[in-house]
mmCIF file of all heavy atoms in Angstrom:
data_model
loop_
_atom_site.group_PDB
_atom_site.id
_atom_site.type_symbol
_atom_site.label_atom_id
_atom_site.label_comp_id
_atom_site.label_asym_id
_atom_site.label_seq_id
_atom_site.Cartn_x
_atom_site.Cartn_y
_atom_site.Cartn_z
ATOM 1 N N LYS L 1 -67.740 -181.633 -111.977
ATOM 2 C CA LYS L 1 -67.291 -181.168 -110.721
ATOM 3 C C LYS L 1 -65.922 -181.608 -110.338
ATOM 4 O O LYS L 1 -65.143 -180.920 -109.643
ATOM 5 C CB LYS L 1 -68.412 -181.693 -109.628
ATOM 6 C CG LYS L 1 -69.822 -181.247 -109.915
ATOM 7 C CD LYS L 1 -70.032 -179.849 -109.234
ATOM 8 C CE LYS L 1 -71.521 -179.476 -109.358
ATOM 9 N NZ LYS L 1 -71.592 -178.080 -108.885
ATOM 10 N N LEU L 2 -65.594 -182.892 -110.629
ATOM 11 C CA LEU L 2 -64.307 -183.482 -110.293
ATOM 12 C C LEU L 2 -63.231 -182.694 -111.042
ATOM 13 O O LEU L 2 -62.142 -182.488 -110.512
ATOM 14 C CB LEU L 2 -64.282 -184.796 -110.643
ATOM 15 C CG LEU L 2 -65.247 -185.827 -109.939
ATOM 16 C CD1 LEU L 2 -65.224 -187.236 -110.452
ATOM 17 C CD2 LEU L 2 -65.026 -185.826 -108.493
ATOM 18 N N THR L 3 -63.458 -182.314 -112.319
ATOM 19 C CA THR L 3 -62.373 -181.532 -113.059
ATOM 20 C C THR L 3 -62.168 -180.182 -112.459
ATOM 21 O O THR L 3 -61.042 -179.609 -112.564
ATOM 22 C CB THR L 3 -62.813 -181.420 -114.614
ATOM 23 O OG1 THR L 3 -63.928 -180.583 -114.710
ATOM 24 C CG2 THR L 3 -63.023 -182.851 -115.271
ATOM 25 N N GLN L 4 -63.117 -179.700 -111.803
ATOM 26 C CA GLN L 4 -63.044 -178.307 -111.260
ATOM 27 C C GLN L 4 -62.130 -178.348 -110.086
ATOM 28 O O GLN L 4 -61.397 -177.348 -109.822
ATOM 29 C CB GLN L 4 -64.369 -177.728 -110.894
ATOM 30 C CG GLN L 4 -65.241 -177.310 -112.218
ATOM 31 C CD GLN L 4 -66.606 -176.919 -111.814
ATOM 32 O OE1 GLN L 4 -67.137 -177.277 -110.781
ATOM 33 N NE2 GLN L 4 -67.224 -176.233 -112.672
ATOM 34 N N ILE L 5 -62.164 -179.381 -109.173
ATOM 35 C CA ILE L 5 -61.465 -179.244 -107.885
ATOM 36 C C ILE L 5 -60.118 -179.880 -108.059
ATOM 37 O O ILE L 5 -59.335 -179.810 -107.114
ATOM 38 C CB ILE L 5 -62.202 -180.026 -106.817
ATOM 39 C CG1 ILE L 5 -62.517 -181.485 -107.140
ATOM 40 C CG2 ILE L 5 -63.664 -179.342 -106.554
ATOM 41 C CD1 ILE L 5 -63.097 -182.300 -105.993
ATOM 42 N N THR L 6 -59.772 -180.497 -109.146
ATOM 43 C CA THR L 6 -58.426 -181.014 -109.303
ATOM 44 C C THR L 6 -57.516 -179.903 -109.865
ATOM 45 O O THR L 6 -57.865 -179.181 -110.731
ATOM 46 C CB THR L 6 -58.313 -182.230 -110.213
ATOM 47 O OG1 THR L 6 -56.942 -182.788 -110.035
ATOM 48 C CG2 THR L 6 -58.630 -182.033 -111.573
ATOM 49 N N LYS L 7 -56.242 -179.982 -109.485
ATOM 50 C CA LYS L 7 -55.204 -178.916 -109.864
ATOM 51 C C LYS L 7 -54.349 -179.586 -111.036
ATOM 52 O O LYS L 7 -53.879 -178.873 -111.905
ATOM 53 C CB LYS L 7 -54.389 -178.515 -108.724
ATOM 54 C CG LYS L 7 -53.340 -177.343 -109.085
ATOM 55 C CD LYS L 7 -52.555 -176.964 -107.914
ATOM 56 C CE LYS L 7 -53.360 -176.353 -106.750
ATOM 57 N NZ LYS L 7 -52.549 -175.912 -105.658
ATOM 58 N N ILE L 8 -54.157 -180.922 -110.965
ATOM 59 C CA ILE L 8 -53.233 -181.584 -111.818
ATOM 60 C C ILE L 8 -53.832 -182.811 -112.489
ATOM 61 O O ILE L 8 -54.064 -182.885 -113.588
ATOM 62 C CB ILE L 8 -51.890 -181.914 -111.098
ATOM 63 C CG1 ILE L 8 -51.158 -180.523 -110.616
ATOM 64 C CG2 ILE L 8 -50.912 -182.543 -112.173
ATOM 65 C CD1 ILE L 8 -49.941 -180.884 -109.720
ATOM 66 N N PHE L 9 -54.070 -183.790 -111.571
ATOM 67 C CA PHE L 9 -54.503 -185.132 -112.100
ATOM 68 C C PHE L 9 -55.904 -185.434 -111.630
ATOM 69 O O PHE L 9 -56.419 -185.192 -110.594
ATOM 70 C CB PHE L 9 -53.622 -186.234 -111.651
ATOM 71 C CG PHE L 9 -52.214 -186.349 -112.314
ATOM 72 C CD1 PHE L 9 -51.155 -185.963 -111.529
ATOM 73 C CD2 PHE L 9 -52.124 -186.720 -113.531
ATOM 74 C CE1 PHE L 9 -49.873 -185.965 -112.130
ATOM 75 C CE2 PHE L 9 -50.807 -186.750 -114.123
ATOM 76 C CZ PHE L 9 -49.709 -186.412 -113.389
ATOM 77 N N LEU L 10 -56.600 -186.244 -112.532
ATOM 78 C CA LEU L 10 -57.878 -186.788 -112.193
ATOM 79 C C LEU L 10 -57.808 -188.225 -112.632
ATOM 80 O O LEU L 10 -57.372 -188.648 -113.785
ATOM 81 C CB LEU L 10 -59.010 -186.093 -113.024
ATOM 82 C CG LEU L 10 -60.410 -186.816 -112.932
ATOM 83 C CD1 LEU L 10 -61.003 -186.824 -111.525
ATOM 84 C CD2 LEU L 10 -61.342 -186.090 -113.867
ATOM 85 N N TYR L 11 -58.213 -189.204 -111.737
ATOM 86 C CA TYR L 11 -58.225 -190.508 -112.118
ATOM 87 C C TYR L 11 -59.681 -190.998 -111.911
ATOM 88 O O TYR L 11 -60.368 -190.926 -110.813
ATOM 89 C CB TYR L 11 -57.398 -191.459 -111.224
ATOM 90 C CG TYR L 11 -57.495 -193.022 -111.446
ATOM 91 C CD1 TYR L 11 -57.106 -193.505 -112.693
ATOM 92 C CD2 TYR L 11 -58.212 -193.823 -110.623
ATOM 93 C CE1 TYR L 11 -57.334 -194.836 -112.898
ATOM 94 C CE2 TYR L 11 -58.431 -195.160 -110.862
ATOM 95 C CZ TYR L 11 -57.967 -195.628 -111.992
ATOM 96 O OH TYR L 11 -58.114 -196.971 -112.327
ATOM 97 N N LEU L 12 -60.328 -191.589 -113.012
ATOM 98 C CA LEU L 12 -61.660 -192.040 -113.026
ATOM 99 C C LEU L 12 -61.699 -193.527 -113.366
ATOM 100 O O LEU L 12 -60.937 -194.081 -114.320
ATOM 101 C CB LEU L 12 -62.501 -191.444 -114.132
ATOM 102 C CG LEU L 12 -62.858 -189.889 -113.935
ATOM 103 C CD1 LEU L 12 -63.542 -189.309 -115.156
ATOM 104 C CD2 LEU L 12 -63.476 -189.556 -112.692
ATOM 105 N N GLU L 13 -62.437 -194.251 -112.549
ATOM 106 C CA GLU L 13 -62.740 -195.666 -112.860
ATOM 107 C C GLU L 13 -64.175 -195.983 -112.656
ATOM 108 O O GLU L 13 -64.649 -195.608 -111.591
ATOM 109 C CB GLU L 13 -61.698 -196.570 -111.990
ATOM 110 C CG GLU L 13 -62.031 -198.098 -112.210
ATOM 111 C CD GLU L 13 -60.994 -198.952 -111.412
ATOM 112 O OE1 GLU L 13 -59.809 -198.660 -111.278
ATOM 113 O OE2 GLU L 13 -61.391 -199.975 -110.895
ATOM 114 N N THR L 14 -64.846 -196.736 -113.656
ATOM 115 C CA THR L 14 -66.220 -196.907 -113.579
ATOM 116 C C THR L 14 -66.623 -198.076 -114.343
ATOM 117 O O THR L 14 -65.870 -198.305 -115.375
ATOM 118 C CB THR L 14 -67.040 -195.694 -113.763
ATOM 119 O OG1 THR L 14 -68.436 -195.887 -113.499
ATOM 120 C CG2 THR L 14 -66.862 -195.157 -115.228
ATOM 121 N N ILE L 15 -67.742 -198.598 -114.112
ATOM 122 C CA ILE L 15 -68.346 -199.515 -115.091
ATOM 123 C C ILE L 15 -69.050 -198.803 -116.098
ATOM 124 O O ILE L 15 -69.864 -197.899 -115.855
ATOM 125 C CB ILE L 15 -69.303 -200.549 -114.322
ATOM 126 C CG1 ILE L 15 -68.669 -201.367 -113.362
ATOM 127 C CG2 ILE L 15 -70.089 -201.286 -115.428
ATOM 128 C CD1 ILE L 15 -69.546 -202.285 -112.532
ATOM 129 N N ALA L 16 -68.632 -198.858 -117.372
ATOM 130 C CA ALA L 16 -69.106 -198.141 -118.549
ATOM 131 C C ALA L 16 -70.069 -198.944 -119.435
ATOM 132 O O ALA L 16 -70.171 -200.134 -119.340
ATOM 133 C CB ALA L 16 -68.013 -197.564 -119.293
ATOM 134 N N LYS L 17 -70.754 -198.326 -120.238
ATOM 135 C CA LYS L 17 -71.662 -198.949 -121.183
ATOM 136 C C LYS L 17 -70.689 -200.033 -122.016
ATOM 137 O O LYS L 17 -69.577 -199.758 -122.260
ATOM 138 C CB LYS L 17 -72.115 -197.978 -122.192
ATOM 139 C CG LYS L 17 -73.177 -198.370 -123.199
ATOM 140 C CD LYS L 17 -73.859 -197.358 -123.972
ATOM 141 C CE LYS L 17 -74.881 -197.863 -124.968
ATOM 142 N NZ LYS L 17 -75.405 -196.749 -125.750
ATOM 143 N N PHE L 18 -71.377 -201.114 -122.311
ATOM 144 C CA PHE L 18 -70.627 -202.210 -123.055
ATOM 145 C C PHE L 18 -69.695 -203.053 -122.202
ATOM 146 O O PHE L 18 -69.173 -204.122 -122.654
ATOM 147 C CB PHE L 18 -69.882 -201.700 -124.257
ATOM 148 C CG PHE L 18 -70.660 -200.884 -125.196
ATOM 149 C CD1 PHE L 18 -70.366 -199.621 -125.516
ATOM 150 C CD2 PHE L 18 -71.913 -201.417 -125.805
ATOM 151 C CE1 PHE L 18 -71.119 -198.735 -126.460
ATOM 152 C CE2 PHE L 18 -72.666 -200.609 -126.636
ATOM 153 C CZ PHE L 18 -72.327 -199.266 -126.979
ATOM 154 N N SER L 19 -69.481 -202.734 -120.943
ATOM 155 C CA SER L 19 -68.598 -203.708 -120.020
ATOM 156 C C SER L 19 -69.420 -204.836 -119.730
ATOM 157 O O SER L 19 -70.701 -204.770 -119.462
ATOM 158 C CB SER L 19 -68.207 -202.753 -118.845
ATOM 159 O OG SER L 19 -67.700 -203.829 -117.818
ATOM 160 N N PRO L 20 -68.802 -206.016 -119.661
ATOM 161 C CA PRO L 20 -69.516 -207.186 -119.241
ATOM 162 C C PRO L 20 -70.095 -207.016 -117.814
ATOM 163 O O PRO L 20 -71.111 -207.525 -117.449
ATOM 164 C CB PRO L 20 -68.517 -208.265 -119.251
ATOM 165 C CG PRO L 20 -67.139 -207.544 -119.381
ATOM 166 C CD PRO L 20 -67.448 -206.316 -120.025
ATOM 167 N N ASN L 21 -69.405 -206.089 -117.023
ATOM 168 C CA ASN L 21 -69.797 -205.982 -115.602
ATOM 169 C C ASN L 21 -71.092 -205.034 -115.606
ATOM 170 O O ASN L 21 -71.648 -204.796 -114.524
ATOM 171 C CB ASN L 21 -68.721 -205.292 -114.836
ATOM 172 C CG ASN L 21 -67.661 -206.246 -114.392
ATOM 173 O OD1 ASN L 21 -67.887 -207.578 -114.276
ATOM 174 N ND2 ASN L 21 -66.502 -205.879 -114.456
ATOM 175 N N ALA L 22 -71.600 -204.492 -116.716
ATOM 176 C CA ALA L 22 -72.637 -203.670 -116.663
ATOM 177 C C ALA L 22 -73.836 -204.481 -116.822
ATOM 178 O O ALA L 22 -75.004 -204.013 -116.593
ATOM 179 C CB ALA L 22 -72.678 -202.734 -117.940
ATOM 180 N N SER L 23 -73.758 -205.839 -117.047
ATOM 181 C CA SER L 23 -74.864 -206.721 -117.134
ATOM 182 C C SER L 23 -75.408 -207.158 -115.785
ATOM 183 O O SER L 23 -74.692 -207.693 -114.919
ATOM 184 C CB SER L 23 -74.415 -207.938 -117.951
ATOM 185 O OG SER L 23 -75.300 -209.029 -117.727
ATOM 186 N N GLN L 24 -76.677 -207.076 -115.571
ATOM 187 C CA GLN L 24 -77.199 -207.497 -114.303
ATOM 188 C C GLN L 24 -77.235 -208.929 -114.187
ATOM 189 O O GLN L 24 -77.177 -209.396 -113.069
ATOM 190 C CB GLN L 24 -78.737 -206.942 -114.212
ATOM 191 C CG GLN L 24 -78.800 -205.438 -113.930
ATOM 192 C CD GLN L 24 -78.253 -205.009 -112.716
ATOM 193 O OE1 GLN L 24 -78.134 -205.802 -111.686
ATOM 194 N NE2 GLN L 24 -77.972 -203.682 -112.470
ATOM 195 N N LYS L 25 -77.202 -209.739 -115.242
ATOM 196 C CA LYS L 25 -77.108 -211.132 -115.167
ATOM 197 C C LYS L 25 -75.723 -211.620 -114.942
ATOM 198 O O LYS L 25 -75.623 -212.404 -113.900
ATOM 199 C CB LYS L 25 -77.360 -211.639 -116.704
ATOM 200 C CG LYS L 25 -77.522 -213.317 -116.671
ATOM 201 C CD LYS L 25 -77.880 -213.793 -117.912
ATOM 202 C CE LYS L 25 -77.944 -215.317 -118.006
ATOM 203 N NZ LYS L 25 -78.311 -215.798 -119.252
ATOM 204 N N LEU L 26 -74.648 -210.905 -115.171
ATOM 205 C CA LEU L 26 -73.415 -211.280 -114.972
ATOM 206 C C LEU L 26 -72.977 -210.668 -113.628
ATOM 207 O O LEU L 26 -72.073 -211.287 -112.902
ATOM 208 C CB LEU L 26 -72.414 -210.916 -116.042
ATOM 209 C CG LEU L 26 -72.567 -211.636 -117.428
ATOM 210 C CD1 LEU L 26 -71.651 -211.044 -118.552
ATOM 211 C CD2 LEU L 26 -72.310 -213.167 -117.264
ATOM 212 N N ASN L 27 -73.345 -209.556 -113.395
ATOM 213 C CA ASN L 27 -72.980 -208.693 -112.233
ATOM 214 C C ASN L 27 -74.160 -207.962 -111.605
ATOM 215 O O ASN L 27 -74.189 -206.766 -111.809
ATOM 216 C CB ASN L 27 -71.777 -207.690 -112.638
ATOM 217 C CG ASN L 27 -71.266 -206.911 -111.481
ATOM 218 O OD1 ASN L 27 -71.330 -207.262 -110.280
ATOM 219 N ND2 ASN L 27 -70.868 -205.634 -111.824
ATOM 220 N N PRO L 28 -74.896 -208.784 -110.897
ATOM 221 C CA PRO L 28 -76.259 -208.058 -110.360
ATOM 222 C C PRO L 28 -75.857 -207.009 -109.403
ATOM 223 O O PRO L 28 -75.157 -207.080 -108.385
ATOM 224 C CB PRO L 28 -76.985 -209.322 -109.756
ATOM 225 C CG PRO L 28 -75.889 -210.320 -109.608
ATOM 226 C CD PRO L 28 -74.826 -210.080 -110.551
ATOM 227 N N ASP L 29 -76.593 -205.767 -109.525
ATOM 228 C CA ASP L 29 -76.440 -204.778 -108.612
ATOM 229 C C ASP L 29 -77.708 -203.794 -108.807
ATOM 230 O O ASP L 29 -77.643 -203.135 -109.857
ATOM 231 C CB ASP L 29 -75.142 -203.949 -108.819
ATOM 232 C CG ASP L 29 -74.892 -202.816 -107.712
ATOM 233 O OD1 ASP L 29 -75.901 -202.411 -107.060
ATOM 234 O OD2 ASP L 29 -73.774 -202.461 -107.619
ATOM 235 N N SER L 30 -78.570 -203.965 -107.943
ATOM 236 C CA SER L 30 -79.820 -203.189 -108.131
ATOM 237 C C SER L 30 -79.712 -201.771 -108.008
ATOM 238 O O SER L 30 -80.582 -200.968 -108.471
ATOM 239 C CB SER L 30 -80.847 -203.693 -107.066
ATOM 240 O OG SER L 30 -80.290 -203.406 -105.780
ATOM 241 N N LYS L 31 -78.632 -201.201 -107.540
ATOM 242 C CA LYS L 31 -78.403 -199.766 -107.358
ATOM 243 C C LYS L 31 -77.627 -199.153 -108.540
ATOM 244 O O LYS L 31 -77.680 -197.982 -108.743
ATOM 245 C CB LYS L 31 -77.520 -199.559 -106.018
ATOM 246 C CG LYS L 31 -78.347 -199.899 -104.743
ATOM 247 C CD LYS L 31 -77.561 -199.663 -103.587
ATOM 248 C CE LYS L 31 -78.268 -199.794 -102.211
ATOM 249 N NZ LYS L 31 -79.085 -200.989 -102.318
ATOM 250 N N ARG L 32 -77.126 -199.997 -109.383
ATOM 251 C CA ARG L 32 -76.434 -199.519 -110.520
ATOM 252 C C ARG L 32 -77.321 -199.069 -111.613
ATOM 253 O O ARG L 32 -78.395 -199.741 -111.871
ATOM 254 C CB ARG L 32 -75.463 -200.590 -111.068
ATOM 255 C CG ARG L 32 -74.587 -200.079 -112.314
ATOM 256 C CD ARG L 32 -73.554 -201.189 -112.721
ATOM 257 N NE ARG L 32 -74.211 -202.333 -113.200
ATOM 258 C CZ ARG L 32 -74.164 -203.498 -112.784
ATOM 259 N NH1 ARG L 32 -73.466 -203.800 -111.513
ATOM 260 N NH2 ARG L 32 -74.801 -204.509 -113.233
ATOM 261 N N GLU L 33 -77.104 -197.966 -112.354
ATOM 262 C CA GLU L 33 -78.058 -197.573 -113.280
ATOM 263 C C GLU L 33 -77.955 -198.373 -114.547
ATOM 264 O O GLU L 33 -76.818 -198.886 -114.880
ATOM 265 C CB GLU L 33 -77.649 -195.965 -113.769
ATOM 266 C CG GLU L 33 -77.877 -195.030 -112.655
ATOM 267 C CD GLU L 33 -79.314 -194.789 -112.405
ATOM 268 O OE1 GLU L 33 -80.233 -194.958 -113.364
ATOM 269 O OE2 GLU L 33 -79.797 -194.475 -111.342
ATOM 270 N N LYS L 34 -79.013 -198.354 -115.315
ATOM 271 C CA LYS L 34 -79.016 -199.300 -116.611
ATOM 272 C C LYS L 34 -78.381 -198.573 -117.630
ATOM 273 O O LYS L 34 -77.689 -199.166 -118.549
ATOM 274 C CB LYS L 34 -80.517 -199.668 -116.851
ATOM 275 C CG LYS L 34 -81.208 -200.552 -115.864
ATOM 276 C CD LYS L 34 -82.631 -200.873 -116.289
ATOM 277 C CE LYS L 34 -83.130 -201.770 -115.261
ATOM 278 N NZ LYS L 34 -84.648 -202.119 -115.589
ATOM 279 N N ASN L 35 -78.702 -197.278 -117.840
ATOM 280 C CA ASN L 35 -78.180 -196.394 -118.961
ATOM 281 C C ASN L 35 -76.890 -195.827 -118.533
ATOM 282 O O ASN L 35 -76.880 -194.685 -117.893
ATOM 283 C CB ASN L 35 -79.306 -195.459 -119.347
ATOM 284 C CG ASN L 35 -78.993 -194.770 -120.700
ATOM 285 O OD1 ASN L 35 -77.965 -195.277 -121.436
ATOM 286 N ND2 ASN L 35 -79.612 -193.659 -120.994
ATOM 287 N N LEU L 36 -75.810 -196.371 -118.894
ATOM 288 C CA LEU L 36 -74.481 -195.859 -118.383
ATOM 289 C C LEU L 36 -73.672 -195.065 -119.524
ATOM 290 O O LEU L 36 -73.980 -195.311 -120.640
ATOM 291 C CB LEU L 36 -73.521 -197.050 -117.913
ATOM 292 C CG LEU L 36 -74.104 -198.119 -116.845
ATOM 293 C CD1 LEU L 36 -73.177 -199.221 -116.715
ATOM 294 C CD2 LEU L 36 -74.196 -197.220 -115.538
ATOM 295 N N LEU L 37 -72.869 -194.241 -118.956
ATOM 296 C CA LEU L 37 -71.973 -193.593 -120.028
ATOM 297 C C LEU L 37 -71.017 -194.515 -120.659
ATOM 298 O O LEU L 37 -70.544 -195.564 -119.929
ATOM 299 C CB LEU L 37 -71.045 -192.412 -119.221
ATOM 300 C CG LEU L 37 -71.883 -191.246 -118.650
ATOM 301 C CD1 LEU L 37 -70.848 -190.442 -117.943
ATOM 302 C CD2 LEU L 37 -72.467 -190.511 -119.814
ATOM 303 N N SER L 38 -70.595 -194.321 -121.835
ATOM 304 C CA SER L 38 -69.693 -195.115 -122.578
ATOM 305 C C SER L 38 -68.254 -194.582 -122.182
ATOM 306 O O SER L 38 -68.156 -193.399 -121.637
ATOM 307 C CB SER L 38 -69.776 -195.084 -124.046
ATOM 308 O OG SER L 38 -69.617 -193.848 -124.612
#
């Protein structure tokens, strides 16, 4: 959806699989999904 509405640039930033911030122990967030895109 994001690629469709941009004409030139797209900037994406997210917690991805294997990031230390994906750990609920190190970075607890009950709303974040467990199975993330890499």
Side-chain angles (χ1 to χ4, degrees):
K1 298 283 187 183
L2 296 174
T3 64
Q4 290 173 340
I5 60 172
T6 187
K7 187 182 295 184
I8 303 176
F9 287 109
L10 170 64
Y11 175 69
L12 294 178
E13 183 177 316
T14 188
I15 296 174
K17 186 178 181 180
F18 306 122
S19 166
N21 285 327
S23 165
Q24 287 293 343
K25 183 177 180 180
L26 296 175
N27 178 27
D29 186 339
S30 62
K31 294 177 173 49
R32 188 174 63 245
E33 291 293 328
K34 293 180 180 179
N35 191 16
L36 301 173
L37 292 175
S38 69

